[in-house]
Amino acid sequence: MSASGCIFCRIANKEMDADIVYEDEEVVAFRDINPQAPTHVLVIPRKHFAGIKAAEAKDEAVMGHCLMVAREIAVRDGLAERGYRIVINSGAEAGESVPHLHVHVLGGRPLSWPPG
Ligand code: DGP
C-alpha cells in the first residue's frame, strides 16, 4: 500500500526518478538528493509507514532488514573499515522532513559528534 502523495512511495514505485543503489522485495535504497557526505543513501521500506514513531512489533523484521541493507551499502561504498553513520531522524526537532520511514547511511568524510 502506498500513501498518495508520499514522495518516497513514488520513488519506490518508480513513479519518480532516483539514483537507486539497491532494491529487493522489502526495501529500496537510493542516493539522497541533498547529500551531506560523499556517501548519503536512504534505505526505505517499500510499504509506507510514517516513520519510526509509527513502527509496531509487526514491523520489526523490515526495520531490521533496513539496517542490514544500510550496513551492506556501507560495505559496498568502501566504508566498512573507515567508518560510517546510520541515522533515523524522528520528529521536528530531529529534522525529519519526509514522513515515510528512512534510514540514512552517511560516510566518506569525518563525521563529528554530537551531531548539530
Ligand atoms: P529527513 O530530514 O531525515 O526526513 O531526511 C529526508 C531526506 O530525504 C533529506 O536528506 C533529503 C531527501 N530527499 C527529499 N526529497 C527527495 C527526493 O525527491 N529524492 C531523493 N533522492 N532524496 C530526497
Side-chain angles (χ1 to χ4, degrees):
M1 191 172 87
S2 71
S4 69
C6 172
I7 56 173
F8 286 179
C9 285
R10 294 184 65 205
I11 288 172
N13 292 333
K14 309 278 174 64
E15 297 163 6
M16 204 172 131
D17 282 343
D19 183 1
I20 292 176
V21 296
Y22 175 91
E23 60 183 319
D24 63 26
E25 286 185 3
E26 298 292 328
V27 307
V28 179
F30 52 92
R31 298 204 182 273
D32 195 290
I33 203 168
N34 184 23
Q36 301 301 310
T39 290
H40 189 172
V41 170
L42 304 173
V43 185
I44 66 167
R46 285 190 184 278
K47 174 179 165 284
H48 183 84
F49 68 87
I52 197 162
K53 63 184 171 300
E56 300 172 12
K58 65 178 171 49
D59 302 314
E60 190 172 326
V62 73
M63 295 200 55
H65 189 51
C66 283
L67 288 179
M68 292 305 287
V69 169
R71 173 189 178 280
E72 176 61 22
I73 285 159
V75 169
R76 289 185 187 187
D77 271 19
L79 301 174
E81 301 304 323
R82 293 180 64 177
Y84 57 92
R85 189 168 293 163
I86 292 174
V87 172
I88 298 175
N89 294 320
S90 182
E93 286 202 351
E96 183 184 21
S97 60
V98 180
H100 178 134
L101 180 75
H102 49 285
V103 175
H104 296 257
V105 185
L106 294 147
R109 66 167 173 82
L111 299 166
S112 59
W113 193 263

